[in-house]
Amino acid sequence: MFQRNYETVFILTPVLSDVQMKDTVDKFVNLLKEEGADVINVENWGLKKMAYTIDKKTTGFYVLVEFKADPTIIRKFELEFRRDEKVMRFLTTVLEKHGIAYAERRRKGEFNKKSEAKEEQAK
């Protein structure tokens, strides 16, 4: 079975409670696991302002899921996004070798440490 690395970012409607938002994220992560995908990382970016309004909403809960899966799973995964009314937008991308390296560095927190160091120097 051939597996590729993928990264999906999706935006959930801001009218959800924290519990509803976490349940929705868990639903999609469990769907991936049931289909045989290896979920590498799930990042909740929180409630963020969007660049443009979607359905008269200016904010949304952003979530990133990084996983390794067979390419045939993606169609079913994205169909579930389209069926769920809590999902406003989603984007799935294939990660190539440079994207995989960048994702590993992001998971380790390399980019956060630099911004923290700059804040400490400013003090």
Side-chain angles (χ1 to χ4, degrees):
M1 185 196 273
F2 175 69
Q3 290 194 330
R4 298 184 82 166
N5 288 354
Y6 293 95
E7 186 174 81
T8 298
V9 176
F10 57 96
I11 306 171
L12 299 174
T13 183
V15 298
L16 301 175
S17 69
D18 285 342
V19 174
Q20 290 172 319
M21 190 263 305
K22 289 177 184 171
D23 288 344
T24 305
V25 172
D26 289 342
K27 173 184 128 179
F28 290 115
V29 169
N30 290 335
L31 174 70
L32 285 171
K33 289 179 181 178
E34 288 170 7
E35 294 295 324
D38 298 327
V39 177
I40 299 168
N41 187 29
V42 178
E43 290 181 21
N44 181 358
W45 292 348
L47 188 67
K48 295 202 174 278
K49 185 174 166 83
M50 296 186 287
Y52 55 91
T53 59
I54 301 172
D55 298 331
K56 299 182 182 176
K57 294 174 179 65
T58 58
T59 59
F61 289 106
Y62 281 67
V63 180
L64 174 126
V65 179
E66 190 180 340
F67 58 98
K68 195 171 190 176
D70 188 83
T72 58
I73 294 173
I74 302 304
R75 185 177 222 157
K76 184 175 182 180
F77 185 52
E78 290 186 346
L79 180 63
E80 286 301 316
F81 279 127
R82 289 184 184 94
R83 287 182 177 163
D84 196 330
E85 61 189 29
K86 298 172 195 156
V87 178
M88 296 194 302
R89 291 286 189 274
F90 65 91
L91 178 67
T92 301
T93 57
V94 178
L95 295 178
E96 39 81 32
K97 67 179 181 179
H98 300 293
I100 295 168
Y102 179 84
E104 286 175 6
R105 290 177 59 199
R106 187 187 67 239
R107 281 195 306 270
K108 291 178 185 174
E110 283 186 34
F111 305 112
N112 294 337
K113 290 178 184 175
K114 290 179 184 177
S115 63
E116 290 173 6
K118 287 180 184 176
E119 289 175 7
E120 288 179 16
Q121 290 176 352
K123 290 180 183 179

